[in-house]
Amino acid sequence: MEFAEVVRRRRMVRNYDPDRPVPPEVVDRLLDHAVRAPSAGFAQGWGFLVLEAPEDRERFWTAATPAGGGRERWLAGMRRAPLIVVPHANRSAYLERYAEPDKGWADRSAERWPVPYWYVDTGFAALLMLLTAVDEGLGGCFFGIPPQRLDAYREAFGVPEEYQPIGAVTVGYRAPDHRSPSLRRGRKPVGEVVRRGRWS
């Protein structure tokens, strides 16, 4: 598939065919592409938890889903995904990397960073997984783990404290699903969000 077509087809898929697992070679490509994301100082401070077994996926949904909340239809379709990948950012990997001689920020202070690139870079990796899914004829969705469920998630999977989940990615073969009401807002035209040469 041409890259432009991959970009045009990318959307958040919220319902999957539960009877079609993601082939192992496709899972490997998703992860191989994820680790090709750019990272500040080539720190590569990310970690990916891959959940394919039904019992692991069920443990994820139990740990990461708040009770109630009126999201039952969304959750029912998402729970059918045969693959969940949780991308994590490791801030300490960046602080250590930038304390090395070629960078020289020996104090390891996070205050020097204009934005937390450990999250930005891990987000790049998640996007590469989503684009790879489209290229492979699958769908994917990136969504957040509610803050009040992070401790339960960490405990369920033994996630070390230095790794912060930035969200989760479901992947699978698409099944019919409902369009997000947010799409009614329409995509902003390029001319509305791009400034050339000067903001005003």
Side-chain angles (χ1 to χ4, degrees), residues 18-87:
D19 299 320
R20 296 182 69 191
V22 178
E25 64 274 13
V26 174
V27 176
D28 289 345
R29 274 194 290 279
L30 288 169
L31 299 166
D32 286 344
H33 291 178
V35 300
R36 295 195 63 83
S39 67
F42 209 41
Q44 305 168 78
W46 42 52
F48 304 92
L49 179 63
V50 179
L51 306 172
E52 297 175 272
E55 60 272 19
D56 291 335
R57 289 182 277 125
E58 182 58 34
R59 189 163 12 116
F60 172 83
W61 293 115
T62 299
T65 305
R71 309 280 315 259
E72 288 77 16
R73 182 172 70 167
W74 176 87
L75 186 57
M78 293 290 279
R79 286 179 77 115
R80 294 185 185 108
L83 173 66
I84 304 168
V85 180
V86 185

Side-chain angles (χ1 to χ4, degrees), residues 53-128:
E55 60 272 19
D56 291 335
R57 289 182 277 125
E58 182 58 34
R59 189 163 12 116
F60 172 83
W61 293 115
T62 299
T65 305
R71 309 280 315 259
E72 288 77 16
R73 182 172 70 167
W74 176 87
L75 186 57
M78 293 290 279
R79 286 179 77 115
R80 294 185 185 108
L83 173 66
I84 304 168
V85 180
V86 185
H88 299 75
N90 183 346
R91 180 179 81 160
S92 63
Y94 286 75
L95 302 184
E96 291 297 320
R97 170 66 186 103
Y98 275 76
E100 292 177 17
D102 64 321
K103 299 296 184 186
W105 293 353
D107 59 7
R108 292 170 174 76
S109 171
E111 301 300 316
R112 294 180 177 274
W113 293 79
V115 296
Y117 277 98
W118 38 94
Y119 297 138
V120 173
D121 295 349
T122 306
F124 287 155
L127 179 58
L128 286 178

Side-chain angles (χ1 to χ4, degrees), residues 141-190:
C141 185
F142 178 88
F143 59 98
I145 299 173
Q148 69 272 27
R149 302 304 302 170
L150 286 175
D151 288 343
Y153 163 75
R154 286 181 179 284
E155 183 177 341
F157 293 99
V159 177
E161 192 59 38
E162 65 267 23
Y163 284 92
Q164 176 70 29
I166 66 157
V169 178
T170 49
V171 179
Y173 290 94
R174 293 171 61 165
D177 65 350
H178 62 283
R179 290 173 60 83
S180 168
S182 299
L183 294 176
R184 292 188 198 116
R185 297 167 54 89
R187 191 175 308 280
K188 291 183 178 181
V190 171

